[in-house]
Amino acid sequence: MIHLHLTAIFIAVILYIITLISYSKNPSSENKNGKIMHMVLRVVYLLILFSGLMIYVQNMDVISALGSHMMYGIKVLCGLFSIALMEMSLVKLRKSGKGGMWLVITIGLIVVTFLLGAVLPLGTMAFN
């Protein structure tokens, strides 16, 4: 399940960049390619949320034994906020053509979320 989660995150970041470039070039409502990529990205968001929830539920005993519930809770919140900020930055860019501040915050939070996931115990198990 970890491989599905990491693959979905990788695909989401790639789709986010493609959609961001598409909306930067043409933020009008007639940008069909941008809308299609944005909808596919929203489906990938659901896949990320589902796989993340399944990883958490399947490894509940390991998380309890390590006593790291709070850190995993923080990672879940960072992940949810990352997805929300990705969506908000794309919508802001499409509607007004400006989204620089949202973009910087989004990229920063994605990096923090990824590093937090890699540092936590389940993250090190994924790379063994």
Side-chain angles (χ1 to χ4, degrees):
M1 191 61 63
I2 290 176
H3 295 293
L4 174 66
H5 190 64
L6 291 175
T7 304
I9 291 170
F10 180 74
I11 290 170
V13 169
I14 297 298
L15 285 173
Y16 176 71
I17 292 169
I18 292 170
T19 308
L20 193 68
I21 291 169
S22 177
Y23 282 159
S24 295
K25 290 181 179 178
N26 183 12
S28 71
S29 62
E30 291 146 8
N31 186 354
K32 297 280 185 200
N33 292 334
K35 283 184 179 182
I36 291 170
M37 297 306 285
H38 200 167
M39 289 305 227
V40 172
L41 181 60
R42 288 174 178 161
V43 172
V44 175
Y45 291 157
L46 293 175
L47 188 60
I48 291 171
L49 293 173
F50 173 74
S51 61
L53 179 67
M54 292 307 297
I55 290 170
Y56 186 75
V57 169
Q58 288 174 351
N59 296 298
M60 189 74 74
D61 55 340
V62 174
I63 293 169
S64 295
L66 295 172
S68 58
H69 278 292
M70 184 178 78
M71 290 304 293
Y72 279 100
I74 292 171
K75 188 199 179 294
V76 167
L77 286 176
C78 284
L80 289 173
F81 286 143
S82 294
I83 290 173
L85 284 173
M86 286 170 74
E87 185 66 23
M88 286 192 313
S89 65
L90 288 174
V91 170
K92 181 76 171 173
L93 183 65
R94 185 178 50 129
K95 293 211 182 251
S96 68
K98 303 173 197 162
M101 178 190 70
W102 290 108
L103 180 63
V104 171
I105 294 170
T106 302
I107 291 171
L109 191 58
I110 289 171
V111 169
V112 167
T113 304
F114 182 77
L115 291 176
L116 188 58
V119 168
L120 287 171
L122 291 179
T124 57
M125 288 185 347
F127 297 111
N128 288 333

